[in-house]
Amino acid sequence: MNDNSNGKKVTRHEEREQAFVLLFEQIFQEHSIDIIVEDAKEARDIETGKYALKLAKGVEEKREELDAVIESNLKGWKMNRISKVSLTVLRIAVYEMMYEKTVPVSVAINEAVELSKKYATKGDAKFVNGVLGAAVKSIDEDK
């Protein structure tokens, strides 16, 4: 657990959710994560956790690479058909699977499925789970 500026304990799950919100907003605003975070702080007095910021910036930096992994593991789907919620969740999970060595792959997948259940539909959660299950194999092969 991490502390936010108010001293309140924030879980990794909550920080992933913060990163999801930032990255989802970025799809529509096309601003950098830094600008989105600053706007959120000014407009709504929202503090972004350290891990959330690290995740969001990491996904922003590696987006093309993450999208290539996602696209190569789609079965009968095109990137432009994936809901923006599912795409954002997939990007976060693939980033964690590839770059966050302290996060077990099973945790990254489980957290992605939970975010999908909360923000999308049940069908999206199954879709995300399937894509990530395939992605694990391709990521392991590349190592």
Side-chain angles (χ1 to χ4, degrees), residues 6 9 13 16 18 20 25-26 31 33-34 36 44 56 58-59 63 76 81 86 90 101-102 111 132 143:
N6 300 333
K9 295 287 183 192
H13 175 77
R16 275 185 196 90
Q18 287 179 354
F20 166 80
E25 190 168 326
Q26 187 180 43
H31 293 302
I33 290 298
D34 288 329
I36 293 169
R44 300 180 298 272
V59 169
R63 180 174 298 130
R81 288 197 54 224
S86 291
L90 286 166
K101 302 305 177 206
T102 62
E111 288 288 326
L132 292 176
K143 286 184 180 176

Side-chain angles (χ1 to χ4, degrees), residues 9-27:
K9 295 287 183 192
V10 180
T11 65
R12 275 266 174 111
H13 175 77
E14 292 168 322
E15 294 218 31
R16 275 185 196 90
E17 197 165 345
Q18 287 179 354
F20 166 80
V21 170
L22 292 170
L23 290 161
F24 186 73
E25 190 168 326
Q26 187 180 43
I27 290 172

Side-chain angles (χ1 to χ4, degrees), residues 3-100:
D3 288 337
N4 68 9
S5 65
N6 300 333
K8 180 182 175 247
K9 295 287 183 192
V10 180
T11 65
R12 275 266 174 111
H13 175 77
E14 292 168 322
E15 294 218 31
R16 275 185 196 90
E17 197 165 345
Q18 287 179 354
F20 166 80
V21 170
L22 292 170
L23 290 161
F24 186 73
E25 190 168 326
Q26 187 180 43
I27 290 172
F28 300 100
Q29 288 200 14
E30 297 182 13
H31 293 302
S32 72
I33 290 298
D34 288 329
I35 290 172
I36 293 169
V37 167
E38 193 59 39
D39 288 349
K41 189 173 184 176
E42 286 178 17
R44 300 180 298 272
D45 198 30
I46 295 174
E47 279 294 321
T48 304
K50 289 178 186 171
Y51 187 69
L53 197 53
K54 178 182 179 184
L55 262 183
K57 286 182 168 214
V59 169
E60 178 180 49
E61 180 185 327
K62 303 286 187 182
R63 180 174 298 130
E64 286 182 26
E65 185 179 345
L66 302 173
D67 286 356
V69 171
I70 293 165
E71 190 166 28
S72 70
N73 287 286
L74 296 175
K75 307 287 186 260
W77 282 79
K78 299 280 185 212
M79 285 288 281
N80 62 356
R81 288 197 54 224
I82 300 174
S83 75
K84 291 179 179 10
V85 169
S86 291
L87 181 58
T88 303
V89 169
L90 286 166
R91 285 173 173 162
I92 291 169
V94 171
Y95 178 84
E96 283 190 312
M97 289 162 46
M98 293 176 70
Y99 298 106
E100 288 298 322

Side-chain angles (χ1 to χ4, degrees), residues 113-125:
V113 169
E114 291 305 312
L115 282 171
S116 293
K117 286 178 182 176
K118 183 171 182 175
Y119 291 101
T121 68
K122 193 172 189 173
D124 285 325

